[in-house]
Amino acid sequence: MLLAQITDLHVTARGRTAYKVVDTAQCLARAVDALLSLVPRPDAVLVTGDLTYDGRPEEYAVVAEELARLPMPVYAIPGNHDARGPFREALVPRFCPTTDGEFLHFAVPLEETLLVALDTLVPGRDGGALCPRRLAWVERTLEEASGRHVILALHHPPFATGIAHMDRIALTEPEALERAVRRHGRVERVLCGHVHRSVQTLWAGTIASIAPSTAHQVELALDPAAPSCFTLEPAGFHLHVRQGDGRLVTHQGSLDRWPGPYRFAEYAA
């Protein structure tokens, strides 16, 4: 199994830029091209939120057009820059197979693994949350997945990263989700977005990670007083690969093309 993860697309309508600087529609096109160039190609693609800049229908139209170029299944969840109504209108069910009338969560099998994708969006807020109804859905879904490995996906990280301005808008009150993950015991990855950087930690007895954005990155600033800034560092994605021995291994890929590859044997001194 090869699962590609892209996140924080922040797509604008074509011809517009995000934050007056970033052509995020072109960035998504580059991300799709990069995934199509992989050999072997991913079996599925996961998009962990903030698909659009402002949650507008014309932005979702660009997202849907670009994601439709991918021949494999694509699964998307919302982030704080998304709006459930336009998201649902443009992306359900093709890119979000939810059966819930209110929230955009779902669970789908990826070979022997179950992908459980959460909706942490709170309209009007940058931070995320899981209300009692969403938490009940998570707990019920994990219980029904007993005996199966699970990949849990959500936009807002349930852990602190040390980037203070992002930690203030992470998942609020993550303790209930942590208890559910620990109780299930077979969640092998918790995959997040939101922070626009590649970050990894141990959380709830498993590995939790954040993928870099396909567009702009959040500045790596660990001073608690640092302002909220973004940079134009290289964009990327994560690729989660099931090895022959059953282990899940994560690689970071780049959207850019670089010189090479060069064969070591041909270029040795």
Side-chain angles (χ1 to χ4, degrees):
M1 179 196 73
L2 276 72
L3 174 65
Q5 180 191 0
I6 59 175
T7 195
D8 295 277
L9 319 178
H10 287 258
V11 167
T12 61
R14 296 196 190 278
R16 297 186 59 197
T17 56
Y19 302 108
K20 304 178 182 178
V21 175
V22 191
D23 185 345
T24 49
Q26 181 58 35
C27 289
L28 175 56
R30 288 170 54 225
V32 170
D33 289 342
L35 297 180
L36 289 173
S37 72
L38 292 174
V39 180
R41 284 183 176 174
D43 298 304
V45 175
L46 170 67
V47 191
T48 45
D50 278 0
L51 281 72
T52 63
Y53 187 52
D54 282 326
R56 299 176 183 272
E58 58 267 31
E59 296 170 344
Y60 285 107
V62 177
V63 171
E65 180 182 351
E66 289 296 337
L67 294 183
R69 294 201 288 125
L70 293 166
M72 68 287 291
V74 179
Y75 303 110
I77 53 174
N80 51 290
H81 279 255
D82 291 305
R84 287 195 186 96
F87 184 114
R88 186 181 294 274
E89 187 70 23
L91 304 181
V92 174
R94 181 172 182 180
F95 304 115
C96 178
T98 184
T99 58
D100 192 288
E102 181 178 2
F103 298 113
L104 298 166
H105 49 216
F106 57 89
V108 291
L110 299 177
E111 297 182 3
E112 70 272 27
T113 302
L114 186 69
L115 172 64
V116 178
L118 310 186
D119 175 349
T120 56
L121 170 61
V122 181
R125 283 176 45 186
D126 289 329
L130 291 169
C131 61
R133 195 165 86 77
R134 280 177 283 183
L135 275 170
W137 180 86
V138 175
E139 293 178 350
R140 183 172 64 253
T141 303
L142 290 179
E143 287 174 3
E144 293 172 354
S146 179
R148 298 186 70 176
H149 285 296
V150 168
I151 292 175
L152 188 67
L154 65 163
H155 179 68
H156 296 85
F159 59 89
T161 65
I163 301 175
H165 67 92
M166 296 304 298
D167 291 343
R168 286 192 288 269
I169 57 171
L171 185 73
T172 59
E173 300 180 352
E175 295 81 10
L177 181 62
E178 181 176 4
R179 288 192 295 270
V181 170
R182 288 188 181 277
R183 188 161 53 246
H184 178 64
R186 294 180 65 107
V187 176
E188 57 184 348
R189 284 291 191 282
V190 177
L191 305 182
C192 311
H194 193 50
V195 181
H196 292 237
R197 295 204 70 83
S198 182
V199 183
Q200 298 81 36
T201 191
L202 290 175
W203 179 81
T206 190
I207 298 171
S209 65
I210 304 168
S213 170
T214 58
H216 48 285
Q217 310 305 311
V218 166
E219 183 187 23
L220 178 57
L222 301 180
D223 180 348
S228 174
C229 296
F230 68 92
T231 77
L232 299 183
E233 296 174 51
F237 61 93
H238 278 176
L239 187 64
H240 309 283
V241 184
R242 176 80 63 196
Q243 298 292 94
D245 61 4
R247 290 179 300 121
L248 195 62
V249 174
T250 297
H251 298 267
Q252 180 169 328
S254 172
L255 304 191
D256 298 309
R257 293 186 179 275
W258 304 94
Y262 305 110
R263 291 182 180 271
F264 285 104
E266 296 176 9
Y267 287 85

